[in-house]
Amino acid sequence: MGKGFLSFAATVILQAVGSGYRYGFDIIDMTGLPGGTVYPALRRLEGSGYVVSKWEDQIVAQAAQRPPRKYYELTREGREALEEAVKRYRLLEQTELNKDRDPKPSRA
Amino acid sequence: VAAYSYDKRFFAKPHIWFIALVGVIVPRRLRADWRQEWEAELRCREQLLAEWDRLDWRSKLDLLQRSLSAFWDALWLQPQRLEDEMFQDLRYGVRMLFKSPGFTTVAVLTLALGIGANTVIFGLINTVLLKPLSGREPERLIGVYSHDTTRADSYRLFSHPNYTDLRAQQVVFDDLLATNLFGAGVTEGETTRSVTAVKVSSNYFSVFGVQLAQGRPFLTQEETQPAPVAIVSYRWWQQRGAPPDLVGQSMRVNGRLLTVVGIAPQGFTGAISFFSPDLFLPLSFDQPGSAGGGPPLQDRNRHDLMLVGRLKRGLTLDEANARLKILSAQLAEAYPGTNRDQLITVAPLPRLAISSAPRNDRGQIAAISALALSLSCAVLLIACLNLANMLLARGAARRKEFAVRLALGARAGRLARQLLTEGFLLAALGGVAGLALSALAIDWLTDSLEQVMPVSLNLDARPDLRVLGVTLGFSLLATLFFALGPALKAVRLDVSTSLKEGPGGDARASRQWRPRNLLVIGQVALSLCLLVAAGLVGRGAFQAIRIDPGFDLDRAFYLQLDGGLAGYDEEQTRQLYNRLTERVRSLPGVEAASLALTPPFGEFTFGQRVQPGGAPYPPPPDAATAAQGRPVAAHYNVVGPDFFRTLGIPLRRGREFRQTELAGTGAPREVIISTTLAEKLWPGEEALARTIRLAGGSDADDPGTGAFIPSEGRLQQTFEVVGIIQPYRDQLLPPGDHPLVFVPFSQDYHAAMHLLVRVSPGASVDTVLRAAREEARRLDAILPVLTMKSLRLHLETSLGVWLLHISALLFGTFGAVALLMSLIGVYGVNAYLVAQRTREIGIRMALGADRRVVLRLFLREGLALTGVSLGLGLVLAGLVAQMMRGILFEVSPFDPLVFGAASALLAFTALIACWLPARRATKVDPLIALRHE
């Protein structure tokens, strides 16, 4: 998977992961991007080494009565690439991502 | 991973169900992970919704819609597949193919021949039938026709005033072009060459929607006011080394100096898909010397323009015809003299012909194409059957390998995919080789066609995307055909028995080879079909060369002359031809010489309908006999005195035309006819000294001939029969003695004539031919001598013979390939059988069977198989021959010689293919065979 130029969508997704939105639907809800863009982009970013994924601990999941989730996390390279890309996409700099979050299911 | 299997209402959740479904296409390596992530996400979402009590149907729909994203995600993972199993399969397949180079070579060659044959045929079909005309939106270009509603088959071309009337009416066409094909002679230095040219209206290129490569199109005033301008084709330009300053240079066409004003775009063909004129001239360019120069362009009686219109967008043919009907009525009212009862119609342009009448030749071409394609498909099918057979044999040899893999945990589907991958590798290699083969074949074919075609061709049959696609399709089809069966067989392998069995010791051997028998039967039967087809066509080609035309071909030659191309008028040309004929007659070694419009076996024959002199004209439609006025279709020729002596055709009665009849138009109107025509006009009666009337072209009666329409004046006149000749054959197709009618040169002037010369016995044709050419040069250096050939060579290089030869070559190749493949196939089966039954043979021989018995055992089985195949093949071949009836040249479709020879050849081949393995069986040493245990 090639590194280098990040698309706008990839940058937004990277930013969302960096801001603590850590699994697929969370990112979808936050960014408003369609799932068909988000998941392939996550796989691409993982292939480029900008994010790593990790399965949720079985015990945590069982306690919450759901199958374990896959969480994504920024790597150091990902953080650098994000900083660089954000400079390119000026608009994103102003976007304040709300860290205090309470995910609500969206109704398309 | 199994933690989420707690949900009992699995099927009530379509989104989960969808993930399970889509998961199938995710590469197996990633599948579990992928599924888990998606299910976790969707379930979490579902749960959150449930917590908020909002799990209504709209949320569910939303959830389902979100799960669709999984599909894109799964699609995105597809390339990863290459990295795992498929890539492994491919690598393993390549290794397997390299391991047995002999098998691979034979298989690839077999497929290359099968796929190549199909690609050639499809390439030709693509060029002739499918490729669109040049320009933009070619489907809106349609032919415009005009005919007299009171008479059948009375289609005629358009006059220029009629054309401008129609062009001015903007109700049917966006624009309308007029064109007229004619022969032009271009003088370069001392020689004049004939080129194909069209006269075109000034909007010609804009109607097609193409831009000239260089220069400008004709101007409106150049269409009607004679202007010395010309546009040349791109190819013409290229052939002269593509000089950058060609536009503006002058060239001599038909004796006139013209300025090149433009160069047509590359590959531009005009109204026929693969015929490309080299020279475009304005409509005002009048060919001097042709039929007295002809009436001026503005004459409403001069009908010589073919029209092609660009239909208004959205207009159907029916709507256009309805509007044209009104228009025709208006024109008939305005110009009753020329347009009464004339109905103008539109119809799709024919693919291959220029004609005054609407013709749909697509059906005809499609039928021939379908036949050719089905034969080449048969070759491919045989190749596939053969390969399936080889793969089955290989599969048998690889049983152990498969059994080991299955025992080690390989899934059956994986094994089958492995085999299919190997098959596709073979097919792909075969496809590439086939494409290369077909490119060579098509190059060769177009080259040889250009040698014999009278007009320049633009047969660009190089493979385009469509051909490449079809080749790929054929390769895939072939893979399915030959690799699927063996693959399925491998899948149903029983591991324990396969692992246990010794080499060649399969107890079920006799049952196992049954499907292979069927394959061989199909293959041999199809081969017989192809052999019979090849035999029939080949025999026709042979027949065509040995044809007895009724005169001596060997001591005659001709020079093709055209005074019109040098710019001479009728008077000058007549004088020149007379003087030349006189001087050639006096050359040493010349027995006789004469002029003729068309030589025997020419590319064109002219048709003419003939009535007895007293019959009513126009011919009454209900006339049943010649006496009542029913016209007889005949071939028409214009000849000089001594013509029949020159060809060596005996006169039955009467005399030849006299020298005085050459002199001019004042000569008496006389004709010479063949006995065939005399018998049809006046059955059982004396024809000499009777009169006939020429009733116009017989285009409709005999589609093989070009139309010749005499001017209205001549129709009123009758001709006296002064001679009757023994019939002879003047063309190859259709076969038989056609009725013939000859008119003296004085009565019907043509600028383009042939000087026929008969050489006296003992003289060399070549020497006399060179002397005659030299004589023509001495007499007039610019007189164009277009071709000179002995009649024998003329026949052998004629289009008809070429067609027969090419088809013989094509079918012959198919037949030979089929024969070779059935040899391999039958040999393969028998060799396999012998190998399988080595132990049985050993026991038989140990128990006292001698070699003859063993030989007979195997020969009998092999020959029984061949017998069944031949029987089936004969039935099939009969059907094929019946289908080919229309394209055979003087051979009965059930020619016993061909059927017999083909069966014998195939039977002999099969015998050899059976005998070789059977002989090997007799060499089995019982001791060694039994030691196999």
Side-chain angles (χ1 to χ4, degrees), chain B residues 171-189:
Chain B
V171 292
V172 179
F173 307 107
D174 275 349
D175 207 350
L176 186 66
L177 67 83
T179 171
N180 180 8
L181 189 72
F182 81 119
V186 174
T187 312
E188 283 172 306

Side-chain angles (χ1 to χ4, degrees), chain B residues 321-331 343:
Chain B
N321 276 328
R323 292 185 189 184
L324 281 171
K325 199 169 179 180
I326 304 169
L327 213 57
S328 311
Q330 288 167 356
L331 282 173
L343 179 66

Side-chain angles (χ1 to χ4, degrees), chain B residues 468-680:
Chain B
L468 287 179
V470 168
T471 308
L472 184 68
F474 279 132
S475 309
L476 283 174
L477 200 70
T479 312
L480 281 186
F481 254 115
F482 69 72
L484 196 61
L488 289 179
K489 192 162 182 276
V491 168
R492 291 197 305 261
L493 206 60
D494 180 358
V495 176
S496 57
T497 52
S498 293
L499 273 179
K500 267 187 284 177
E501 99 200 358
D506 186 359
R508 295 165 301 160
S510 54
R511 272 212 351 249
Q512 290 258 331
W513 59 270
R514 238 172 229 165
R516 310 194 60 203
N517 269 356
L518 285 181
L519 288 179
V520 166
I521 289 174
Q523 191 184 336
V524 172
L526 277 174
S527 298
L528 186 61
C529 283
L530 286 178
L531 273 183
V532 165
L536 289 174
V537 174
R539 202 147 174 235
F542 191 59
Q543 212 93 305
I545 295 269
R546 294 189 328 152
I547 187 178
D548 177 19
F551 58 88
D552 186 4
L553 279 167
D554 283 318
R555 281 194 295 123
F557 67 88
Y558 71 82
L559 306 183
Q560 188 187 358
L561 310 168
D562 196 334
L565 300 188
Y568 296 139
D569 64 12
E570 175 171 354
E571 193 53 36
Q572 287 168 312
T573 311
R574 276 186 185 283
Q575 271 184 15
L576 195 58
Y577 286 177
N578 283 346
R579 292 225 311 274
L580 182 60
T581 316
E582 280 311 308
R583 285 168 82 154
V584 167
R585 273 193 189 125
S586 60
L587 282 177
V590 171
E591 195 175 289
S594 180
L595 289 169
L597 175 60
T598 54
F601 308 115
E603 286 92 12
F604 304 107
T605 44
F606 292 93
Q608 183 68 262
R609 294 184 299 163
V610 182
Q611 286 181 294
Y617 182 84
D622 55 344
T625 63
Q628 288 167 358
R630 186 189 154 87
V632 177
H635 286 174
Y636 174 86
N637 205 349
V638 178
V639 300
D642 248 8
F643 174 75
F644 300 103
R645 192 159 78 83
T646 309
L647 271 191
I649 293 159
L651 268 166
R652 288 283 181 75
R653 313 175 61 79
R655 58 170 172 83
E656 293 223 24
F657 297 128
R658 296 201 188 97
Q659 190 60 40
T660 50
E661 282 149 7
L662 255 184
T665 43
R669 293 190 302 274
E670 298 176 338
V671 289
I672 293 175
I673 61 175
S674 66
T675 49
T676 326
L677 180 58
E679 194 53 40
K680 284 194 172 177

